[in-house]
């Protein structure tokens, strides 16, 4: 089997975990999103090719307690994922998201993600495979959302409550 480091990113609150994400790194052809698309019969040859190694945000879950603002938790998990991609030397980043999340990431946060192919229908929800060359993504955010880029680029010590753990 493939040996690829999976990392869990945990946003820890005073009362316990507020959110968790999982990511993995490897050749794009072997990442979960690509394998799921192949299993669904989607023609992966039509996809935009990205440079390897790729870092995939496999899952992200945030406590949806009513009345709690989850934006900061989600941003902290994305930042942890971005840092892992940088540390690992990944050349590209990919993620499977709901179409509305793609709109938010591109329009509000300035991340120039590209849709990598037709949507995947998974467990009753539509999932878009999106991704990009890490350098292109960084340049887009730096240009179009400088405050968010400054947040992503903050040293890890200034991120209380987000502790990555490697499994």
């Amino acid at each position: 089997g493939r040996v690829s480091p999976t990392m869990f990113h945990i946003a820890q609150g005073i009362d316990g975990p507020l959110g968790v994400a999982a990511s993995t790194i490897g050749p794009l052809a072997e990442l979960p999103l690509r394998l799921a698309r192949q299993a669904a019969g989607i023609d992966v040859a039509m996809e935009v090719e990205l440079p390897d190694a790729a870092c995939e945000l496999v899952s992200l879950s945030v406590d949806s307690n009513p009345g709690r603002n989850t934006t900061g938790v989600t941003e902290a998990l994305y930042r942890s994922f971005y840092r892992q991609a940088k540390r690992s030397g990944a050349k590209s980043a990919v993620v499977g998201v709901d179409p509305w999340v793609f709109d938010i990431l591109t329009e509000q946060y300035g991340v120039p993600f590209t849709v990598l192919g037709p949507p995947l229908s998974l467990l009753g929800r539509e999932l878009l495979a999106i991704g990009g060359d890490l350098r292109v993504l960084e340049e887009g955010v730096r240009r179009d959302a400088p405050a968010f880029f400054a947040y992503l680029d903050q040293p890890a010590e200034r991120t209380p409550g987000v502790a990555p753990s490697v499994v």
Side-chain angles (χ1 to χ4, degrees):
R2 177 173 67 93
V3 177
S4 180
T6 294
M7 180 178 277
F8 292 93
H9 311 262
I10 300 167
Q12 185 70 30
I14 295 165
D15 307 335
L18 299 174
V20 64
S23 60
T24 188
I25 296 169
L28 192 61
E30 296 178 21
L31 291 181
L33 192 58
R34 184 73 168 259
L35 297 175
R37 294 168 64 75
Q38 281 174 325
I42 294 173
D43 182 5
V44 290
M46 289 171 51
E47 290 193 40
V48 176
E49 283 305 320
L50 297 173
D52 280 331
C55 190
E56 179 180 338
L57 185 62
V58 179
S59 65
L60 186 142
S61 180
V62 173
D63 180 2
S64 58
N65 199 347
R68 175 177 279 157
N69 179 1
T70 58
T71 304
V73 175
T74 304
E75 288 177 350
L77 292 168
Y78 271 112
R79 176 167 63 181
S80 185
F81 164 68
Y82 167 72
R83 288 204 178 116
Q84 185 207 7
K86 293 286 286 182
R87 269 195 314 270
S88 69
K91 299 279 189 276
S92 57
V94 295
V95 60
V97 295
D98 293 297
W100 65 269
V101 174
F102 171 70
D103 292 340
I104 288 172
L105 289 171
T106 54
E107 293 165 19
Q108 288 182 24
Y109 290 95
V111 188
F113 276 122
T114 301
V115 176
L116 302 177
L120 173 64
S121 205
L122 203 60
L123 300 174
R125 61 186 266 237
E126 190 177 76
L127 212 56
L128 285 180
I130 63 173
D133 182 310
L134 213 48
R135 288 173 314 199
V136 173
L137 298 177
E138 285 174 328
E139 286 164 17
V141 176
R142 189 184 285 120
R143 181 186 63 238
D144 298 333
F148 186 57
F149 184 79
Y151 170 79
L152 290 176
D153 216 34
Q154 277 178 2
E157 300 77 57
R158 290 175 49 198
T159 314
V162 179
S165 60
V166 181
V167 172

